[in-house]
Amino acid sequence: MYARRRRAYFLMMSGCLVLFVSAWAFVRLWSVPAAVAMCVVAMVIPPIAAMVANRRGPDDRWWDDPTGDPQSDEWWDELDGKRRPRHPDDRSDDRPDRPDRSGDQ
């Protein structure tokens, strides 16, 4: 995804430069208002290109990168719907050496 955003940024900024240079290199010889209009369009492109380049997709992790704290990461993953909630009485396979305390002792 990063390559696609980088390519879009490069194309938009290249278009901006082409508009600006062509406006004052040869379009101004035929029409100054057209050259000014081309420069106005070229002026609007860089902020849009920056927004496109910095946009994150739904699969990109950025604000919720793992913190290193397992309990906090598990809590955030549960809120994001990435894992099912763990209950205290849940006997999962991550602790196979835990004895079964189901009642007949």
Side-chain angles (χ1 to χ4, degrees):
M1 283 195 238
Y2 176 71
R4 182 176 48 210
R5 291 192 310 257
R6 188 176 54 200
R7 190 176 317 116
Y9 179 80
F10 176 73
L11 288 173
M12 292 176 82
M13 291 305 288
S14 297
C16 175
L17 287 173
V18 166
L19 280 172
F20 186 75
V21 170
S22 65
W24 296 113
F26 58 87
V27 174
R28 71 176 170 88
L29 300 174
W30 289 285
S31 173
V32 172
V36 171
M38 288 173 68
C39 284
V40 169
V41 171
M43 179 182 68
V44 174
I45 292 174
I48 295 171
M51 287 186 273
V52 167
N54 291 315
R55 185 184 64 214
R56 300 291 182 181
D59 296 337
D60 293 341
R61 292 188 68 141
W62 54 285
W63 64 272
D64 60 346
D65 280 338
T67 61
D69 179 21
Q71 185 177 9
S72 176
D73 292 340
E74 185 176 315
W75 184 73
W76 281 109
D77 286 343
E78 178 183 334
L79 285 177
D80 291 340
K82 295 178 181 171
R83 293 186 190 156
R84 65 180 180 89
R86 277 183 90 154
H87 298 289
D89 58 348
D90 185 17
R91 290 176 183 79
S92 60
D93 293 322
D94 61 346
R95 294 177 285 176
D97 57 342
R98 184 176 174 194
D100 185 24
R101 299 179 187 206
S102 57
D104 57 352
Q105 290 182 355

